[in-house]
Amino acid sequence: MALEIEQFMCRSDNFGVLAHDPASGETAIIDAPETAPILEAVDRTGWTPTVLLVTHHHGDHVAGNLDLKKRFGLKIVGPRSEADRIPGIDGTVGDGDRFAFGTDEVDVISTPGHTAGHVCYHFTRSGVVFTGDTLFALGCGRLFECKPPDMFASLKKLAALPLETVIYCGHEYTEANARFALSVDPSNSALKERAALIQSRRAANQATLPTTLIEEMATNPFLRAHDPVIRRNLGMETASDEAVFAEIRKRKDIF
């Protein structure tokens, strides 16, 4: 993987990320939940940020925008349809856009669901995707601005990426997500093994990310609406995949 990545905690449960291309020296910040931990990561790595890539407009993802822009003179890029809600934005992107980042290329994937304009950034040569609050390890984002069919379609886009794709998301929700996943897919041996590992990591105060798409396809119920065991557990054997997904999301909201 050409991309070097520094992941760290911000706020109570947000992940901060620096993504560095060693060949060019370019460094991206992926979302800006909080200024201080990002500055500490910059000092720790010695990487000077050149661009801030924003996945969506929520305050816990843009709180540090203006401070970081003032300090580094970096360019802030975010989803076109949320531009008026993203502090300091300089450039906008939408579905299908592609831009160079050092020796890598970034494909922009529109993933409405959590917010209406949410985007993900897929670094194609490095095989890494930053999914913000769309796809979590063992979960997906709450539907604040869209309906279940929107999120279902967005997750299908991400599920179509190469299975070896490495996934970084916006929050450390994995332990709680694992408990819910087991409630709808309790006989999944891969999920049970993963849940035990997650519990061990969190007990040691270790991060549960990154994950991979192949791991999520095997264990994340929000990507498994087609699975006959989950459908049977929900009593929805003849329902559409979209309806099964909507039921899983509804259950998670009240879990």
Side-chain angles (χ1 to χ4, degrees), residues 107 109 122-129 135 156-167 211-217:
D107 282 343
I109 306 170
H122 179 214
F123 287 66
T124 59
R125 292 179 181 171
S126 298
V128 177
V129 64
L135 176 63
K156 285 180 68 176
K157 288 183 183 179
L158 296 175
L161 294 174
L163 287 175
E164 63 271 18
T165 301
V166 178
I167 300 167
T211 180
T212 61
L213 183 56
I214 193 168
E215 190 169 28
E216 294 307 311
M217 294 297 291

Side-chain angles (χ1 to χ4, degrees), residues 3 19 54 58 107 115 169 238:
L3 206 62
V54 178
H58 282 165
D107 282 343
T115 67
C169 63
T238 62

Side-chain angles (χ1 to χ4, degrees), residues 5 64 80 92 125 136 144 158 165 167 171 187 220 227 238 243:
I5 296 175
R80 188 167 296 121
T92 61
R125 292 179 181 171
F136 293 126
F144 288 118
L158 296 175
T165 301
I167 300 167
H171 291 271
S187 62
N220 187 332
D227 183 84
T238 62

Side-chain angles (χ1 to χ4, degrees), residues 19-35:
H20 178 72
D21 178 65
S24 67
E26 287 196 59
T27 301
I29 302 169
I30 314 297
D31 287 332
E34 185 181 10
T35 301

Side-chain angles (χ1 to χ4, degrees), residues 84-167:
D84 61 342
R85 306 176 74 177
I86 297 173
I89 194 166
D90 300 296
T92 61
V93 290
D95 194 47
D97 286 348
R98 174 175 287 193
F99 59 89
F101 178 78
T103 58
D104 215 320
E105 287 187 331
V106 181
D107 282 343
V108 180
I109 306 170
S110 175
T111 56
H114 184 66
T115 67
H118 196 296
V119 298
C120 299
Y121 298 96
H122 179 214
F123 287 66
T124 59
R125 292 179 181 171
S126 298
V128 177
V129 64
F130 298 95
T131 61
D133 287 4
T134 296
L135 176 63
F136 293 126
L138 291 176
C140 77
R142 283 183 177 267
L143 307 182
F144 288 118
E145 299 178 8
C146 296
K147 300 297 184 183
D150 302 308
M151 179 64 94
F152 183 69
S154 295
L155 293 175
K156 285 180 68 176
K157 288 183 183 179
L158 296 175
L161 294 174
L163 287 175
E164 63 271 18
T165 301
V166 178
I167 300 167

Side-chain angles (χ1 to χ4, degrees), residues 5-11 13-19 27-45 47 68 168-172 207 209:
I5 296 175
E6 179 79 3
Q7 178 182 255
F8 47 93
M9 296 307 299
C10 296
R11 303 169 70 96
D13 56 31
N14 283 75
F15 280 112
V17 173
L18 301 182
T27 301
I29 302 169
I30 314 297
D31 287 332
E34 185 181 10
T35 301
I38 294 173
L39 295 180
E40 290 169 5
V42 169
D43 287 343
R44 184 167 61 247
T45 60
W47 303 337
L68 294 166
Y168 288 85
C169 63
H171 291 271
E172 180 58 271
L209 291 181

